[in-house]
Amino acid sequence: IINCYNTGTVLGSLQVGGVCGITGTVTTVKNCYNTGAVSGEEEVGGVCGSNSTGLVKNCYNTGAVSGETKVGGVCGYNYGALKNCYNTAVVNGETKVGGICGENSQTIENCASLGVTWGTQYIGGICGTSDTTVENCYNIGDVIGGMYIGGVCGELSGGTLKNCYSVGKVSGGGYTTGSIVGNKASGDITNCYY
């Protein structure tokens, strides 16, 4: 899927995206963008609802994204690679909500979020949760939630968070709120700052 865009409102329940609902194992989504509002329940993203081992590269979202779980400005759930992407819109949901990706289980590189991200738990400026790799990313939008709230990642449960920063205001309900990561269950954080 190359050089495609959407400007209309997209509504659904599972795997809802402005450009595509779910990518296949050899799918590349490149140079695409969404400006329409996207709303669903699970795995909801401005560009892709779910990236299943594919590559999403050089894409962006400017449309509001809302859902319940695994909600992201670019991709709701990532099990592939997100590279050189950005989001400028408000992203909101209940759990696992991120300015770029709600839940990351592979790679996010060179991505940026400029919009407000808010929800209840596992809320991050870049990703709600991650157990693999997030590198060279930044967030400048406010991040607001109840628990497990982080400027870059709500919870890091493995892998690496490297060369990332956040300058947005981070507001949580008390404990498990951090300028970079809300909760570091495991994994490594290297060269990150607030």
Side-chain angles (χ1 to χ4, degrees):
I1 304 173
I2 300 174
N3 302 326
C4 296
Y5 66 90
N6 172 62
T7 61
T9 299
V10 180
L11 303 173
S13 57
L14 175 64
Q15 298 169 339
V16 184
V19 175
C20 68
I22 183 171
T23 65
T25 55
V26 293
T27 302
T28 296
V29 181
K30 184 177 179 181
N31 304 332
C32 296
Y33 68 88
N34 172 67
T35 63
V38 180
S39 180
E41 295 177 8
E42 183 175 353
E43 297 183 6
V44 184
V47 176
C48 289
S50 178
N51 179 28
S52 177
T53 68
L55 170 65
V56 179
K57 184 176 181 181
N58 303 335
C59 295
Y60 69 87
N61 173 66
T62 62
V65 182
S66 62
E68 294 180 8
T69 183
K70 299 179 186 177
V71 184
V74 175
C75 191
Y77 175 65
N78 177 50
Y79 196 71
L82 301 180
K83 297 184 178 182
N84 309 328
C85 296
Y86 69 89
N87 169 63
T88 63
V90 173
V91 181
N92 75 85
E94 292 295 320
T95 182
K96 296 184 179 179
V97 183
I100 296 297
C101 180
E103 180 176 338
N104 176 49
S105 293
Q106 277 298 330
T107 303
I108 301 175
E109 294 180 355
N110 305 322
C111 292
S113 179
L114 290 73
V116 174
T117 305
W118 63 275
T120 304
Q121 61 180 354
Y122 302 109
I123 315 298
I126 297 297
C127 56
T129 64
S130 179
D131 59 11
T132 45
T133 302
V134 180
E135 292 188 4
N136 306 323
C137 296
Y138 68 89
N139 168 62
I140 64 173
D142 292 348
V143 183
I144 305 162
M147 56 191 295
Y148 306 112
I149 314 300
V152 175
C153 188
E155 180 176 78
L156 181 67
S157 57
T160 303
L161 189 65
K162 184 177 180 181
N163 301 332
C164 296
Y165 70 89
S166 175
V167 297
K169 181 180 179 181
V170 180
S171 303
Y175 65 98
T176 60
T177 299
S179 56
I180 300 298
V181 172
N183 181 50
K184 181 183 176 290
S186 62
D188 299 312
I189 300 175
T190 305
N191 196 32
C192 295
Y193 66 92
Y194 176 79

